[in-house]
């Protein structure tokens, strides 16, 4: 979302860092690193996703600090790799944006939490919900996990970001509504379309790349 320096108070920065590190440790412990090292296809998907996201995130719009708009793309990565590897790929992409000067290093934890971790966990939660519902039509996976999941993921990230900026006193609630929140439904549409389109393409041509897809469930 483009959090810049001096947008968060010291206490917020520390709290964000603690949450960021806790999720990062959880993700690192969840990954089957031995299986990852042996799976060349998964490695290609991981590093390819990180590079693509790193360049896509260079394209953004927005006038006010911290309220930048860009395509996240985390939902499709989560469905491809699982939430833990998606977090790692997203953070690697964030490193690229820091190197290119698009994001400040000091706000790496805040941007990682908002741009990567929140969307990945929301997408993972929706995928688990779809799995528990045990839908038998593969369109349920495409719609709920791809299109719908991506829209909710970006909405959750946007709301978390606005809460952080509002609680820090940088923006009033009215300013956030005027400059960002009232446009949030419009951001959800292209996010859902982009992620849903990629999920559809992968499901048709390379379903094996979607590690969260259980093909045996669908008829």
């Amino acid at each position: 979302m483009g959090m810049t320096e001096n947008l968060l108070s010291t206490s917020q920065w520390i709290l964000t860092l603690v949450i960021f590190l806790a999720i990062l440790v959880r993700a690192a412990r969840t990954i089957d690193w031995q299986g990852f090292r042996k799976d060349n296809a998964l490695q290609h998907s991981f590093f390819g996703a990180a590079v693509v996201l790193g360049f896509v995130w260079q394209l953004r719009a927005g006038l006010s600090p911290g309220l930048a708009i860009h395509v996240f793309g985390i939902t499709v990565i989560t469905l491809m790799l699982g939430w833990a590897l998606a977090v790692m790929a997203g953070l690697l992409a964030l490193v690229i944006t820091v190197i290119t000067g698009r994001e400040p290093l000091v706000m790496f934890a805040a941007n990682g939490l908002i741009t990567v971790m929140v969307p990945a966990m929301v997408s993972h939660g929706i995928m688990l919900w779809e799995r528990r519902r045990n839908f038998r039509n593969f369109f349920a996976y495409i719609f709920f996990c791809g299109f719908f999941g991506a829209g909710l993921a970006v909405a959750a990230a946007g709301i978390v970001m606005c809460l952080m900026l509002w609680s820090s006193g940088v923006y009033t609630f009215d300013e956030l509504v005027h400059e960002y929140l009232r446009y949030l439904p419009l951001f959800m549409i292209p996010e859902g379309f982009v992620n849903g389109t990629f999920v559809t393409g992968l499901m048709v041509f390379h379903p094996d790349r979607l590690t969260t897809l259980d093909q045996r469930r669908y008829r």
Side-chain angles (χ1 to χ4, degrees):
M1 285 292 186
M3 296 286 281
T4 57
E5 298 180 42
N6 303 321
L7 288 180
L8 301 181
S9 64
T10 302
S11 58
Q12 279 185 314
W13 186 86
I14 294 174
L15 178 61
T16 301
L17 179 61
V18 170
I19 297 174
F20 171 86
L21 292 175
I23 297 175
L24 181 60
V25 170
R26 173 66 176 174
R29 290 181 175 179
T30 301
I31 297 171
D32 178 9
W33 291 108
Q34 184 175 0
F36 177 75
R37 286 193 295 268
K38 295 179 180 179
D39 194 334
N40 290 330
L42 186 60
Q43 292 177 30
H44 293 160
S45 296
F46 174 83
F47 290 110
V51 171
V52 170
L53 286 180
F55 283 101
V56 168
W57 289 350
Q58 305 294 321
L59 307 174
R60 60 186 65 189
L63 298 177
S64 301
L67 299 178
I69 304 166
H70 61 81
V71 174
F72 281 37
I74 292 294
T75 296
V76 64
I77 306 303
T78 302
L79 297 179
M80 288 175 59
L81 307 175
W83 81 270
L85 277 176
V87 165
M88 296 300 180
L91 294 180
L92 185 56
L94 197 57
V95 170
I96 296 175
T97 65
V98 172
I99 293 174
T100 58
R102 298 294 288 177
E103 303 286 4
L105 179 60
V106 70
M107 299 302 291
F108 187 86
N111 283 317
L113 180 63
I114 295 171
T115 308
V116 179
M117 292 178 172
V118 170
M121 291 187 294
V122 170
S123 300
H124 178 69
I126 293 173
M127 183 274 297
L128 292 179
W129 173 83
E130 189 272 342
R131 185 176 293 176
R132 286 194 298 268
R133 296 288 295 183
N134 200 29
F135 292 108
R136 294 297 182 179
N137 193 310
F138 70 90
F139 282 108
Y141 181 89
I142 294 174
F143 178 75
F144 289 117
C145 299
F147 290 93
F148 185 68
L152 283 185
V154 74
I159 291 172
V160 170
M161 178 197 66
C162 287
L163 288 174
M164 292 172 65
L165 294 175
W166 175 64
S167 61
S168 69
V170 176
Y171 296 102
T172 65
F173 184 75
D174 289 340
E175 288 175 328
L176 290 170
V177 171
H178 178 73
E179 297 191 27
Y180 189 85
L181 288 175
R182 66 175 179 172
Y183 301 113
L184 192 55
L186 298 179
F187 308 155
M188 296 168 63
I189 296 173
E191 184 74 25
F193 177 78
V194 171
N195 285 267
T197 300
F198 274 99
V199 170
T200 302
L202 288 170
M203 196 167 186
V204 172
F205 297 105
H206 297 285
D208 55 301
R209 295 283 181 169
L210 295 167
T211 61
T212 61
L213 174 66
D214 184 2
Q215 300 182 51
R216 298 169 298 179
R217 283 178 44 213
Y218 305 104
R219 292 192 289 258

